[in-house]
Amino acid sequence: MTTNVGKLDRTLRAALGVVLLFLAFFSGLALFDAVLFKYGAALIGLIMLATATLKMCPLYSLLGLKTCKDC
């Protein structure tokens, strides 16, 4: 696994992951009462946090993209 996610990208992914998890479980919005939206947002939030933590995005690897300067 090669690093392909830069610092700004990681920060944005982590923020998006936290926001999606918050919306899914703590927001109380009617949209997230539906099971599909609740667990869909939670799954995407977890994926965003995982890619931010691991500094590696499988989709970027498939497309040959890199957002980091040093890799």
Side-chain angles (χ1 to χ4, degrees):
M1 294 190 335
T2 307
T3 300
N4 61 6
V5 178
K7 187 174 182 179
L8 177 61
D9 197 358
R10 286 180 61 209
T11 303
L12 294 174
R13 286 171 185 263
L16 178 62
V18 169
V19 167
L20 285 172
L21 286 171
F22 174 80
L23 287 173
F25 296 112
F26 301 112
S27 70
L29 295 174
L31 176 67
F32 293 101
D33 286 340
V35 173
L36 180 64
F37 284 105
K38 181 179 215 163
Y39 292 111
L43 179 65
I44 293 170
L46 288 174
I47 291 170
M48 290 291 112
L49 287 174
T51 57
T53 303
L54 297 174
K55 301 179 189 178
M56 191 277 209
C57 176
L59 185 60
Y60 279 10
S61 294
L62 288 174
L63 298 174
L65 298 172
K66 292 184 179 183
T67 59
C68 56
K69 296 176 185 176
D70 303 340
C71 57

